Amino acid sequence: MSACVSELKARLASVKQTRQITNAMYLLSASRLKKLMPGMGYAVSYMQSLREAMAGVLGASNLAGMHQRFIDIDSKGTALIMSVMGDKGLCGGYNSAVAALTAEEMKKHANAKLFCFGLVGKEILTARGLVPDAVLPGSSMHPSLELAAELSEMLIEEYVTDRINEVYVIFTPYTHGEKEPVCIRLLPLVREDFSDAGPLLPAEEMICEPSPEAVFEHMVPHYCTAMIYDMLVQSAACENAARTTAMKSAADNADEMIKQLQAELNASRQLRITNEITEISAAKSYAAEEK
């Protein structure tokens, strides 16, 4: 009986310690998510306006004078797939869902290059037999415009020198419902990709100086930078939201286990006390009979 009580005490102490850890991680993730929300709101609003502007510029031109490398899909060449995942686990199925979609997209593009955001993402992809060509740790948890600008400059340089012919980004957009990863084409920029973004003005009313083509060429680097930053911010928000949910569920499960273990411990103590009282009573009765 004493062994059973000591075992229950050890398990109860272990669950309480685990509960403290999961609750601390829940509070930390919730705090990070709260800090990201204002910036994500600005990024989403800016991206909506930027996409509307891009749609207007594309609509204001017949594309005849535009640099064809940014608007035409070249079937020949190497695609680049950037997969945005996290540096840490304990966030439910967030990382595994992105990895699964990445594996599907890699099958569609033969000999595609793979860039991975996040150390956990690298481990999951490597376990699936997909070794990333480059890993960017820390970028998903702490997105920055500086990083987005550097990546945009590198991607455009690779693209215009024909080292890559397409760029795709796999990330998890932040929504209030189910958070499922999506694959978005970043380059080239074709009209079909802006079908969901109406132009700010009708094409005949938009004035582009010195020309729609020149404005388009100038906007491409800014658009790529903004898109990458927006995807990183949304992914970071989704990761923290997933970890918040997972840690809240873990803390709730720990609370239930603590209640069950406490009830079992109380029952074991009560049984031990009852047995001791019974033994004392039996001993007294036996002593009385002996007299």
Side-chain angles (χ1 to χ4, degrees):
M1 184 62 65
S2 59
C4 181
V5 172
S6 61
E7 181 181 346
L8 287 173
K9 285 183 179 180
R11 289 182 60 191
L12 184 60
S14 176
V15 173
K16 286 182 177 180
Q17 185 177 12
T18 302
R19 201 267 181 198
Q20 289 179 345
I21 296 173
T22 55
N23 188 60
M25 295 183 67
Y26 162 74
L27 295 174
L28 180 60
S29 298
S31 175
R32 287 176 174 171
L33 178 61
K34 185 177 181 180
K35 290 180 180 179
L36 283 170
M37 293 307 294
M40 189 181 67
Y42 298 145
V44 170
S45 299
Y46 177 76
M47 279 308 306
Q48 181 179 357
S49 300
L50 183 58
R51 286 177 59 80
E52 290 174 353
M54 291 290 287
V57 172
L58 288 171
S61 172
N62 59 6
L63 305 182
M66 284 190 179
H67 207 306
Q68 298 300 311
R69 63 191 178 190
F70 288 132
I71 59 177
D72 289 343
I73 299 178
D74 185 7
S75 59
K76 298 179 180 179
T78 302
L80 172 63
I81 297 177
M82 298 194 300
S83 183
V84 184
M85 285 179 272
D87 291 287
K88 300 178 180 179
L90 300 177
C91 51
Y94 168 79
N95 289 314
S96 58
V98 178
L101 182 58
T102 302
E104 293 179 7
E105 293 298 325
M106 289 293 290
K107 293 178 181 178
K108 298 178 183 178
H109 304 277
N111 301 321
K113 294 182 179 180
L114 177 60
F115 280 16
C116 176
F117 294 79
L119 294 175
V120 171
K122 173 192 174 183
E123 295 176 359
I124 296 177
L125 291 174
T126 303
R128 288 175 172 265
L130 301 173
V131 180
D133 296 279
V135 180
L136 301 171
S139 52
S140 60
M141 183 60 69
H142 303 287
S144 66
L145 276 173
E146 291 79 7
L147 172 64
E150 292 176 4
L151 287 173
S152 174
E153 182 179 356
M154 181 272 294
L155 291 176
I156 292 176
E157 175 66 23
E158 293 284 311
Y159 186 82
V160 298
T161 54
D162 295 327
R163 293 173 186 157
I164 55 176
N165 69 321
E166 290 180 289
V167 179
Y168 294 90
V169 182
I170 299 175
F171 75 107
T172 309
Y174 185 84
T175 60
H176 294 289
E178 292 294 328
K179 298 176 176 60
E180 295 294 332
V182 297
C183 181
I184 301 296
R185 179 167 53 201
L186 185 61
L187 288 173
L189 304 172
V190 296
R191 280 180 169 174
E192 290 78 5
D193 295 337
F194 296 88
S195 59
D196 60 332
L200 292 171
L201 295 172
E204 61 273 7
E205 297 181 12
M206 181 169 286
I207 300 175
C208 299
E209 295 292 344
S211 67
E213 293 78 14
V215 173
F216 178 81
E217 288 276 353
H218 181 74
M219 290 180 66
V220 168
H222 299 284
Y223 175 78
C224 291
T225 299
M227 279 289 290
I228 293 172
Y229 178 71
D230 177 61
M231 293 173 181
L232 290 177
V233 170
Q234 291 202 52
S235 295
C238 287
E239 180 182 353
N240 282 289
R243 186 171 290 108
T244 298
T245 302
M247 293 300 100
K248 181 64 167 62
S249 177
D252 291 342
N253 291 337
D255 288 336
E256 290 297 324
M257 290 184 66
I258 289 172
K259 290 180 181 179
Q260 294 177 3
L261 290 172
Q262 190 65 58
E264 292 180 17
L265 181 59
N266 293 339
S268 296
R269 286 173 173 172
Q270 184 64 41
L271 180 60
R272 185 179 65 179
I273 293 172
T274 302
N275 290 339
E276 289 177 354
I277 293 174
T278 302
E279 291 175 359
I280 293 172
S281 299
K284 287 185 177 181
S285 300
Y286 180 77
E289 292 177 359
E290 288 292 327
K291 290 182 180 179

Coordinates of all heavy atoms in Angstrom, one line a residue, residues 57-119:
V57 N -1.9 48.2 -62.9 CA -0.8 48.4 -63.9 C -0.9 47.4 -65.0 O -0.6 47.7 -66.2 CB 0.5 48.4 -63.1 CG1 1.7 48.4 -64.1 CG2 0.6 49.5 -62.1
L58 N -1.1 46.1 -64.6 CA -1.2 45.1 -65.6 C -2.4 45.3 -66.6 O -2.3 45.1 -67.8 CB -1.4 43.7 -65.0 CG -0.1 43.1 -64.3 CD1 -0.5 41.9 -63.5 CD2 0.9 42.8 -65.3
G59 N -3.5 45.8 -66.0 CA -4.6 46.1 -66.9 C -4.4 47.4 -67.7 O -5.1 47.5 -68.8
A60 N -3.6 48.3 -67.3 CA -3.4 49.5 -68.1 C -2.4 49.4 -69.2 O -2.2 50.3 -70.0 CB -2.8 50.6 -67.1
S61 N -1.8 48.2 -69.4 CA -0.9 48.0 -70.4 C -1.3 46.7 -71.2 O -1.9 45.8 -70.7 CB 0.5 47.8 -69.8 OG 1.4 47.4 -70.8
N62 N -0.9 46.8 -72.5 CA -1.1 45.6 -73.3 C 0.1 44.6 -73.2 O 0.1 43.6 -73.9 CB -1.2 46.0 -74.8 CG 0.0 46.7 -75.3 OD1 1.0 46.8 -74.6 ND2 -0.1 47.2 -76.5
L63 N 1.0 44.8 -72.2 CA 2.1 44.0 -71.9 C 3.2 43.9 -73.1 O 4.2 43.2 -72.9 CB 1.7 42.6 -71.6 CG 0.6 42.4 -70.5 CD1 0.3 41.0 -70.2 CD2 1.1 43.1 -69.2
A64 N 2.9 44.6 -74.1 CA 3.8 44.5 -75.3 C 5.2 45.0 -74.9 O 6.2 44.4 -75.4 CB 3.3 45.3 -76.5
G65 N 5.3 46.0 -74.1 CA 6.6 46.6 -73.8 C 7.2 46.1 -72.5 O 8.3 46.6 -72.1
M66 N 6.5 45.3 -71.8 CA 6.9 44.9 -70.5 C 8.0 43.8 -70.6 O 8.1 43.1 -71.6 CB 5.8 44.3 -69.7 CG 4.9 45.4 -69.1 SD 3.7 44.6 -67.9 CE 2.8 46.1 -67.4
H67 N 8.8 43.8 -69.6 CA 9.9 42.8 -69.6 C 9.3 41.4 -69.4 O 8.7 41.1 -68.4 CB 10.8 43.1 -68.4 CG 12.2 42.6 -68.6 ND1 12.5 41.3 -69.0 CD2 13.4 43.2 -68.6 CE1 13.8 41.1 -69.1 NE2 14.4 42.3 -68.9
Q68 N 9.4 40.6 -70.5 CA 8.7 39.4 -70.5 C 9.1 38.4 -69.5 O 8.4 37.4 -69.1 CB 8.9 38.7 -71.9 CG 8.3 39.6 -73.1 CD 6.8 39.8 -72.9 OE1 6.1 38.9 -72.7 NE2 6.4 41.0 -73.0
R69 N 10.3 38.5 -68.9 CA 10.8 37.6 -67.9 C 9.9 37.6 -66.7 O 9.9 36.6 -65.9 CB 12.2 37.9 -67.5 CG 12.4 39.3 -66.9 CD 13.9 39.7 -66.8 NE 14.0 41.0 -66.2 CZ 15.1 41.7 -66.1 NH1 16.2 41.2 -66.7 NH2 15.2 42.9 -65.6
F70 N 9.2 38.7 -66.4 CA 8.4 38.8 -65.2 C 7.0 38.4 -65.4 O 6.2 38.2 -64.4 CB 8.4 40.2 -64.6 CG 9.8 40.5 -64.0 CD1 10.4 41.7 -64.3 CD2 10.4 39.7 -63.1 CE1 11.6 42.1 -63.7 CE2 11.6 40.0 -62.5 CZ 12.2 41.2 -62.8
I71 N 6.5 38.2 -66.6 CA 5.1 38.0 -66.9 C 4.8 36.7 -67.6 O 3.7 36.2 -67.7 CB 4.5 39.1 -67.6 CG1 5.2 39.3 -69.0 CG2 4.5 40.4 -66.8 CD1 4.5 40.4 -69.8
D72 N 5.9 36.0 -68.2 CA 5.7 34.8 -68.9 C 6.1 33.6 -68.2 O 7.2 33.7 -67.5 CB 6.4 34.9 -70.3 CG 5.8 35.8 -71.2 OD1 4.6 36.2 -71.0 OD2 6.5 36.3 -72.2
I73 N 5.4 32.5 -68.3 CA 5.8 31.3 -67.6 C 6.7 30.5 -68.6 O 6.2 30.1 -69.7 CB 4.5 30.4 -67.2 CG1 3.7 31.2 -66.3 CG2 4.9 29.1 -66.7 CD1 2.4 30.5 -65.9
D74 N 7.9 30.2 -68.2 CA 8.8 29.4 -69.0 C 8.8 28.0 -68.5 O 9.1 27.7 -67.4 CB 10.2 30.0 -68.8 CG 11.2 29.3 -69.7 OD1 10.8 28.5 -70.5 OD2 12.4 29.6 -69.6
S75 N 8.4 27.1 -69.4 CA 8.3 25.7 -69.0 C 9.6 25.1 -68.8 O 9.7 24.0 -68.2 CB 7.5 24.9 -70.1 OG 8.1 25.0 -71.3
K76 N 10.7 25.7 -69.4 CA 12.0 25.1 -69.3 C 12.7 25.9 -68.1 O 12.7 27.1 -68.0 CB 12.8 25.3 -70.6 CG 12.1 24.6 -71.7 CD 13.0 24.8 -73.0 CE 12.3 24.0 -74.2 NZ 13.1 24.3 -75.4
G77 N 13.4 25.1 -67.3 CA 14.2 25.7 -66.3 C 13.9 25.0 -64.9 O 13.3 24.0 -64.9
T78 N 14.4 25.6 -63.9 CA 14.3 25.0 -62.5 C 13.4 25.9 -61.7 O 13.6 27.1 -61.6 CB 15.7 24.9 -61.9 OG1 16.6 24.2 -62.7 CG2 15.6 24.3 -60.5
A79 N 12.5 25.2 -61.0 CA 11.6 25.9 -60.1 C 12.2 26.0 -58.7 O 13.1 25.1 -58.3 CB 10.3 25.2 -60.0
L80 N 11.9 27.0 -57.9 CA 12.3 27.1 -56.5 C 11.1 27.1 -55.7 O 10.2 27.9 -55.9 CB 13.1 28.4 -56.4 CG 13.5 28.8 -54.9 CD1 14.4 27.7 -54.3 CD2 14.1 30.2 -54.8
I81 N 11.1 26.2 -54.7 CA 10.0 26.1 -53.7 C 10.5 26.5 -52.3 O 11.5 25.9 -51.9 CB 9.4 24.7 -53.7 CG1 8.8 24.4 -55.1 CG2 8.3 24.6 -52.6 CD1 8.3 23.0 -55.2
M82 N 9.9 27.5 -51.7 CA 10.2 27.9 -50.4 C 9.1 27.5 -49.4 O 8.0 27.8 -49.6 CB 10.4 29.5 -50.3 CG 11.5 30.0 -51.2 SD 12.0 31.7 -50.9 CE 10.4 32.5 -51.2
S83 N 9.5 26.7 -48.5 CA 8.6 26.1 -47.5 C 8.8 26.8 -46.1 O 9.8 26.7 -45.6 CB 8.8 24.6 -47.4 OG 7.8 24.0 -46.5
V84 N 7.7 27.4 -45.7 CA 7.8 28.2 -44.4 C 7.2 27.3 -43.3 O 6.0 27.1 -43.2 CB 7.0 29.5 -44.5 CG1 7.2 30.3 -43.2 CG2 7.4 30.3 -45.7
M85 N 8.1 26.9 -42.4 CA 7.8 26.1 -41.2 C 8.4 26.8 -40.0 O 9.0 27.9 -40.1 CB 8.2 24.7 -41.4 CG 7.2 23.9 -42.3 SD 7.7 22.2 -42.5 CE 8.8 22.3 -43.9
G86 N 8.4 26.1 -38.8 CA 8.9 26.7 -37.6 C 10.2 26.1 -37.2 O 10.7 25.1 -37.7
D87 N 10.8 26.8 -36.2 CA 12.0 26.3 -35.6 C 11.8 25.4 -34.4 O 12.7 24.8 -33.9 CB 12.9 27.5 -35.1 CG 13.4 28.3 -36.3 OD1 14.4 27.8 -36.9 OD2 12.9 29.4 -36.5
K88 N 10.5 25.4 -33.9 CA 10.2 24.6 -32.7 C 9.0 23.7 -33.0 O 8.2 24.0 -33.9 CB 10.0 25.5 -31.5 CG 11.2 26.3 -31.1 CD 10.8 27.2 -30.0 CE 12.0 28.1 -29.6 NZ 11.7 29.0 -28.4
G89 N 8.8 22.7 -32.2 CA 7.7 21.8 -32.4 C 6.6 22.2 -31.4 O 6.4 23.3 -31.0
L90 N 5.8 21.1 -30.9 CA 4.8 21.3 -30.0 C 3.7 22.3 -30.4 O 3.2 23.1 -29.7 CB 5.3 21.8 -28.6 CG 6.3 20.8 -27.9 CD1 6.9 21.4 -26.6 CD2 5.7 19.5 -27.7
C91 N 3.4 22.2 -31.7 CA 2.4 23.1 -32.3 C 1.4 22.3 -33.1 O 0.9 22.8 -34.2 CB 3.0 24.3 -33.1 SG 4.2 23.7 -34.4
G92 N 1.0 21.2 -32.6 CA 0.0 20.4 -33.3 C 0.5 19.9 -34.7 O 1.7 19.5 -34.8
G93 N -0.4 19.9 -35.7 CA 0.0 19.5 -37.0 C 0.5 20.6 -37.9 O 0.5 20.4 -39.2
Y94 N 0.9 21.7 -37.4 CA 1.2 22.9 -38.2 C 2.4 22.5 -39.1 O 2.3 22.7 -40.4 CB 1.6 24.0 -37.3 CG 2.3 25.2 -38.0 CD1 1.5 26.1 -38.8 CD2 3.7 25.3 -38.0 CE1 2.2 27.1 -39.5 CE2 4.3 26.4 -38.7 CZ 3.5 27.3 -39.4 OH 4.2 28.3 -40.1
N95 N 3.5 22.0 -38.6 CA 4.7 21.7 -39.4 C 4.5 20.6 -40.4 O 4.9 20.6 -41.5 CB 5.9 21.5 -38.5 CG 6.4 22.7 -37.8 OD1 6.6 23.8 -38.4 ND2 6.6 22.6 -36.5
S96 N 3.8 19.5 -39.9 CA 3.6 18.3 -40.7 C 2.7 18.6 -41.9 O 2.9 18.1 -43.0 CB 3.0 17.2 -39.8 OG 1.8 17.6 -39.2
A97 N 1.7 19.5 -41.7 CA 0.8 19.8 -42.8 C 1.6 20.6 -43.9 O 1.4 20.3 -45.1 CB -0.4 20.7 -42.3
V98 N 2.4 21.5 -43.5 CA 3.2 22.2 -44.5 C 4.2 21.3 -45.2 O 4.4 21.4 -46.4 CB 4.0 23.4 -43.8 CG1 4.9 24.1 -44.9 CG2 3.1 24.4 -43.2
A99 N 4.8 20.4 -44.5 CA 5.7 19.4 -45.0 C 5.0 18.5 -46.0 O 5.6 18.2 -47.1 CB 6.4 18.6 -43.9
A100 N 3.8 18.1 -45.7 CA 3.0 17.2 -46.6 C 2.7 18.0 -48.0 O 2.9 17.4 -49.0 CB 1.7 16.8 -46.0
L101 N 2.3 19.2 -47.9 CA 2.1 20.0 -49.1 C 3.4 20.2 -49.9 O 3.4 20.2 -51.1 CB 1.4 21.3 -48.8 CG 1.0 22.2 -49.9 CD1 0.1 21.5 -50.9 CD2 0.4 23.5 -49.5
T102 N 4.5 20.4 -49.2 CA 5.8 20.6 -49.8 C 6.1 19.4 -50.6 O 6.6 19.5 -51.8 CB 6.8 21.0 -48.8 OG1 6.5 22.1 -48.1 CG2 8.2 21.2 -49.5
A103 N 5.9 18.2 -50.0 CA 6.3 17.0 -50.7 C 5.4 16.8 -52.0 O 5.9 16.4 -53.0 CB 6.0 15.8 -49.8
E104 N 4.1 17.2 -51.9 CA 3.3 17.1 -53.1 C 3.8 18.0 -54.2 O 3.8 17.7 -55.4 CB 1.8 17.5 -52.7 CG 1.2 16.5 -51.8 CD -0.2 16.9 -51.4 OE1 -0.7 17.8 -52.0 OE2 -0.8 16.2 -50.6
E105 N 4.1 19.3 -53.8 CA 4.6 20.2 -54.8 C 5.9 19.8 -55.4 O 6.2 20.1 -56.6 CB 4.7 21.6 -54.2 CG 3.3 22.2 -53.8 CD 2.4 22.4 -55.0 OE1 2.9 22.8 -56.1 OE2 1.2 22.3 -54.8
M106 N 6.8 19.2 -54.6 CA 8.1 18.8 -55.1 C 7.9 17.7 -56.2 O 8.7 17.6 -57.1 CB 9.0 18.3 -54.0 CG 9.5 19.4 -53.1 SD 10.7 20.5 -53.9 CE 12.1 19.5 -54.1
K107 N 6.9 16.9 -56.1 CA 6.6 15.9 -57.1 C 6.2 16.5 -58.4 O 6.4 15.9 -59.5 CB 5.6 14.9 -56.6 CG 6.0 14.1 -55.4 CD 4.9 13.2 -54.9 CE 5.3 12.3 -53.7 NZ 4.2 11.5 -53.2
K108 N 5.6 17.7 -58.4 CA 5.1 18.3 -59.6 C 6.2 19.0 -60.4 O 6.0 19.2 -61.6 CB 4.0 19.3 -59.2 CG 2.7 18.7 -58.6 CD 1.8 19.9 -58.2 CE 0.5 19.3 -57.5 NZ -0.4 20.4 -57.1
H109 N 7.3 19.3 -59.7 CA 8.3 20.1 -60.3 C 9.6 19.3 -60.2 O 10.2 19.2 -59.2 CB 8.5 21.4 -59.7 CG 7.3 22.3 -59.6 ND1 6.9 23.1 -60.7 CD2 6.3 22.4 -58.7 CE1 5.8 23.7 -60.4 NE2 5.4 23.3 -59.2
A110 N 10.0 18.7 -61.4 CA 11.2 17.9 -61.4 C 12.5 18.7 -61.2 O 12.6 19.8 -61.7 CB 11.3 17.1 -62.7
N111 N 13.3 18.2 -60.4 CA 14.6 18.9 -60.1 C 14.5 20.3 -59.5 O 15.3 21.2 -59.7 CB 15.5 19.0 -61.4 CG 15.8 17.7 -62.0 OD1 16.0 16.7 -61.3 ND2 15.7 17.6 -63.3
A112 N 13.4 20.5 -58.8 CA 13.1 21.8 -58.1 C 14.1 22.0 -56.9 O 14.4 21.1 -56.2 CB 11.7 21.9 -57.7
K113 N 14.5 23.2 -56.7 CA 15.3 23.6 -55.6 C 14.3 23.8 -54.4 O 13.2 24.2 -54.6 CB 16.1 24.9 -55.8 CG 17.2 24.7 -56.9 CD 17.9 26.0 -57.0 CE 19.1 25.9 -58.0 NZ 19.8 27.2 -58.2
L114 N 14.8 23.6 -53.2 CA 14.0 23.7 -52.0 C 14.7 24.5 -50.9 O 15.8 24.2 -50.5 CB 13.7 22.3 -51.4 CG 12.9 22.2 -50.1 CD1 11.5 22.8 -50.3 CD2 12.7 20.8 -49.7
F115 N 14.0 25.6 -50.6 CA 14.4 26.4 -49.4 C 13.5 26.2 -48.3 O 12.3 26.2 -48.5 CB 14.4 27.9 -49.8 CG 15.6 28.4 -50.6 CD1 16.4 27.4 -51.3 CD2 15.9 29.7 -50.8 CE1 17.5 27.8 -52.0 CE2 17.0 30.1 -51.6 CZ 17.8 29.2 -52.2
C116 N 14.0 26.0 -47.1 CA 13.2 25.7 -45.9 C 13.4 26.8 -44.9 O 14.6 27.1 -44.5 CB 13.6 24.3 -45.4 SG 12.7 23.9 -43.9
F117 N 12.3 27.3 -44.3 CA 12.4 28.2 -43.2 C 12.1 27.4 -41.9 O 11.0 26.8 -41.8 CB 11.3 29.3 -43.3 CG 11.5 30.2 -44.5 CD1 11.2 29.9 -45.8 CD2 12.1 31.5 -44.3 CE1 11.4 30.7 -46.8 CE2 12.3 32.4 -45.3 CZ 12.0 32.0 -46.6
G118 N 13.0 27.3 -41.0 CA 12.8 26.6 -39.8 C 13.6 25.3 -39.6 O 13.6 24.5 -40.6
L119 N 14.1 25.1 -38.4 CA 14.9 23.9 -38.1 C 14.1 22.7 -38.1 O 14.5 21.6 -38.5 CB 15.7 24.1 -36.8 CG 16.8 25.2 -36.9 CD1 17.4 25.4 -35.5 CD2 17.8 24.9 -37.9

